[in-house]
Amino acid sequence: MRYDDSPPPPESGSSANPDRHWFTRRSTLVVGIAALAPACLAGWVLTQALSGTGPDSGRSGPAAQPASHSSLAPGQRDAKPGSTPSTSPTTSPTGSPSTTAAAPVPAPAKGPLAGKTVVVDPGHNTGNFKHTDEIDQQVDIGTNRKECDTTGTTTNSGYMEAEFTMDVSKRLRTALEAQGAKVVLTHETGARPWGPCITERARIGNEANADAVVSVHADGVSAGSRGFHVILPAKVKSGAADTAKIVGPSRELGERIAGNFARTTGSAPANYLGGGTGLVVRDDLGGLNLSTRPKVFIECGNMRDAKDAAQLTSPEWRQKAAQGIADGIVGFLGG
Ligand code: ZN
């Protein structure tokens, strides 16, 4: 697989203001949510109680590190269950706290991914459109300097790539956790106004010692270009970038994901690059160049093609997409 010197116009920073569409979508959502609210309330409360999703630990400043391009977010969170219900510690007569309430011990994870850590990187951030100065900061990706982050694309009707990537990433997290994995998202909805920078996204996977990292995207190329592709790291060594150790395992991870994604979604490999394999090698993505863990990007479809967009905007299809990616990871790690 050769890689493209002219990186797909992915993440083209469309300047179209997505807010209007946001509104339309939200009104529809509100109606739906109102109908579902009673049924979901109990479950929601339970979920909240179990998963104290802490505020972003706020790693800061983008420019702080060597960079990479595209996505890998910082947001670190993963405040999993363990957050104990606050049973106010009682105080003994002597004033020393006595621990009478035993902290609930989380059940050990079971499943084929028990003991494994997977970092999932939702590409872009819905706030990037309003923070172009910040995301345009240049960061060092070892081989080059690139923008800290990009806006991502949208469908012609305004559904943002960043909404898509976050939705699929959350579904993917659920699927992986069901298999016993510890899952870290590089950022969470609304946890930060923009970014993280691609350098930070890469760093999160590295610092988590992730067994696998997947960055979720959708492409934005001309209508008629259809299908998915998985982007694999090229062998690069320059500055902070050294992918020698991850090229092999990342390819295996990518092949597993591509095969399972095609199976669960019924989508075909991209018809506009990759020679029909659904696999593309690139050396210009900071998120890959700076990774020290097996990592791939997946471009799930072309948001600018009406047929692909019809799939990308379907929650049912997104669930299949997440399942395919999860199955690929299980095959890579557990298989
Ligand atoms: Zn993207």
Side-chain angles (χ1 to χ4, degrees), residues 116-138:
K116 303 291 187 183
T117 298
V118 179
V119 170
V120 177
D121 176 38
H124 316 285
N125 181 323
T126 55
N128 283 0
F129 283 98
K130 292 180 177 173
H131 292 274
T132 51
D133 287 348
E134 290 91 339
I135 65 171
D136 282 347
Q137 300 170 74
Q138 297 286 302

Side-chain angles (χ1 to χ4, degrees), residues 231-257:
I231 304 173
L232 314 175
K235 186 173 180 180
V236 297
K237 182 171 173 57
S238 177
D242 183 357
T243 59
K245 292 180 180 171
I246 67 162
V247 165
S250 297
R251 170 169 288 274
E252 185 186 343
L253 171 64
E255 289 176 346
R256 298 265 192 177
I257 289 176

Side-chain angles (χ1 to χ4, degrees), residues 105-185:
V105 179
K110 295 177 181 173
L113 298 189
K116 303 291 187 183
T117 298
V118 179
V119 170
V120 177
D121 176 38
H124 316 285
N125 181 323
T126 55
N128 283 0
F129 283 98
K130 292 180 177 173
H131 292 274
T132 51
D133 287 348
E134 290 91 339
I135 65 171
D136 282 347
Q137 300 170 74
Q138 297 286 302
V139 292
D140 182 355
I141 67 166
T143 53
N144 200 354
R145 290 184 68 79
K146 292 188 80 165
E147 297 81 14
C148 144
D149 204 13
T150 49
T151 60
T153 186
T154 69
T155 64
N156 292 335
S157 61
Y159 179 57
M160 297 169 68
E161 180 187 353
E163 294 176 76
F164 170 83
T165 65
M166 184 59 76
D167 182 85
V168 171
S169 294
K170 288 178 176 176
R171 293 172 188 275
L172 176 54
R173 173 169 63 191
T174 300
L176 292 170
E177 287 179 341
Q179 299 297 315
K182 173 187 177 185
V183 182
V184 177
L185 256 60

